[in-house]
Amino acid sequence: MQVIILSRRGSNTTNVSGRWLAVTAALATKLLLGVGLVGGLALAQWHSHSGPSEGLDVALALQYQRDNVRETREDAQRQLDALAVHVGRLQARMMRIDALGERLVGVAELDSSEFDFAIDVAQGGADDELENLPAYAPPSFMETLSALELRLGERELQLDLLESMLAERSISEASELAGRPVNTGYVSSPFGRRVNPVTGRSSLHKGVDFAAPRGSDVVAVAAGVVTWSGRRPAYGNTVEITHADGYVSRYAHNQRNTVQVGELVQPGQVIAKVGSTGRSTGNHVHFEVFKNGKLVNPSSYIARSSLHR
């Protein structure tokens, strides 16, 4: 094959074989294919980087969702921790109310089987669904707990007030002089003027005598503090108890005293044993009562029905 090469200096004719021409054409084709492949790769790479808005938006959205789920989970855990603390406080207050209720049952001397704080309140019965009512919207769980806490506070205040009233009533009843200074026996000499059994002269008997078996119990007629426990002239072994409202009770002629000065005694508590010490003609208890330092007739106090015996 002849190839004519043109230039500014003229033209030249060159003989080119067919084999060489075929090799040249093949090289040219490979070169073009390589250039196309490189261009395609470059274009694909350009497309992958030229559209970050779509890929980047998806990645950001996924990261946002992950962060949102984590924050929601952490917030839920904080809510659960706060709820656990709140429920714990309510349980503690319920235990306090139960204990206070049981104590009030004892103070008021109520039937413990009727007011048993260890069992649930008895409730029951069939319920009929009400029609034509708006849909019920349940209140917030925390709002319900807050309302329950408020009700518990009101109940605690009411029970505390009731306890104070019962305690005051109990103290008032316990300190009220009532009843006899012996559990067995009879009145052998009343209060007032009489013939003295020792001297035979008319005199004022300052108390009430109760004849009783020797060694039997002498009991306090009211709560108080022992202010005397020892011997007195004519009275023999004597116990004196100071009570509320200016009252003092005296128990004389005891075989022996069983309480000490400063001791707090309750109604019906044994304070001595019946005897015949001092100026006495037999086993008995001489019982006197003073009000604000003045001697009074004990008969009215003896006649009272004692609620705390």
Side-chain angles (χ1 to χ4, degrees):
M1 178 183 291
Q2 291 183 347
V3 177
I4 301 174
I5 300 175
L6 299 178
S7 66
R8 292 180 181 179
R9 295 179 180 181
S11 61
N12 295 318
T13 300
T14 303
N15 293 322
V16 179
S17 66
R19 182 179 178 182
W20 187 89
L21 184 60
V23 171
T24 302
L27 291 174
T29 301
K30 291 182 179 180
L31 179 61
L32 290 175
L33 291 174
V35 171
L37 180 59
V38 172
L41 292 173
L43 182 61
Q45 187 176 6
W46 179 82
H47 273 297
S48 65
H49 290 287
S50 64
S53 57
E54 264 186 51
L56 190 58
D57 287 346
V58 172
L60 290 176
L62 289 175
Q63 185 60 38
Y64 174 77
Q65 289 180 359
R66 293 191 189 97
D67 294 341
N68 192 26
V69 170
R70 187 186 69 255
E71 292 177 359
T72 302
R73 186 174 299 167
E74 292 175 353
D75 183 65
Q77 186 61 48
R78 287 193 295 268
Q79 293 287 342
L80 288 175
D81 292 342
L83 181 62
V85 173
H86 200 62
V87 171
R89 291 175 179 172
L90 291 181
Q91 289 176 338
R93 295 180 68 178
M94 284 298 300
M95 292 177 63
R96 179 179 180 273
I97 289 178
D98 289 345
L100 180 58
E102 291 176 358
R103 186 163 64 250
L104 291 181
V105 169
V107 172
E109 297 181 354
L110 302 176
D111 185 359
S112 59
S113 62
E114 181 180 358
F115 296 92
D116 190 352
F117 286 83
I119 61 176
D120 295 332
V121 178
Q123 299 182 23
D127 293 333
D128 294 331
E129 294 186 0
L130 300 178
E131 299 179 355
N132 301 324
L133 290 178
Y136 173 71
S140 169
F141 191 59
M142 292 303 296
E143 290 179 357
T144 304
L145 283 179
S146 298
L148 177 60
E149 186 175 15
L150 180 61
R151 291 178 60 188
L152 285 176
E154 294 174 353
R155 297 300 184 272
E156 285 178 335
L157 182 61
Q158 293 172 351
L159 287 175
D160 286 339
L161 180 60
L162 180 59
E163 181 185 30
S164 299
M165 294 175 62
L166 288 175
E168 290 178 0
R169 188 188 73 178
S170 178
I171 292 174
S172 177
E173 291 178 352
S175 60
E176 182 182 49
L177 275 70
R180 296 151 50 100
V182 290
N183 296 322
T184 59
Y186 60 94
V187 175
S188 56
S189 181
F191 175 88
R193 299 196 66 86
R194 70 170 185 179
V195 176
N196 189 299
V198 176
T199 63
R201 298 178 182 177
S202 177
S203 61
L204 175 64
H205 187 223
K206 298 180 179 180
V208 176
D209 291 341
F210 289 86
R214 180 179 180 82
S216 59
D217 294 337
V218 178
V219 298
V221 297
V225 178
V226 178
T227 50
W228 179 271
S229 180
R231 293 187 67 90
R232 285 187 179 277
Y235 286 97
N237 293 328
T238 305
V239 173
E240 293 180 3
I241 302 175
T242 299
H243 311 279
D245 299 327
Y247 283 100
V248 175
S249 58
R250 176 180 291 171
Y251 313 78
H253 305 303
N254 304 321
Q255 180 189 34
R256 60 185 179 88
N257 302 335
T258 60
V259 291
Q260 304 296 324
V261 173
E263 187 173 341
L264 178 64
V265 297
Q266 299 299 326
Q269 180 177 335
V270 177
I271 59 174
K273 296 296 183 178
V274 174
S276 184
T277 58
R279 188 187 299 177
S280 171
T281 60
N283 296 314
H284 74 285
V285 176
H286 177 78
F287 179 60
E288 295 181 2
V289 175
F290 298 85
K291 169 68 171 177
N292 294 326
K294 295 182 178 180
L295 184 68
V296 296
N297 187 347
S299 300
S300 59
Y301 305 103
I302 295 171
R304 288 179 178 174
S305 61
S306 179
L307 300 178
H308 44 69
R309 287 286 183 86

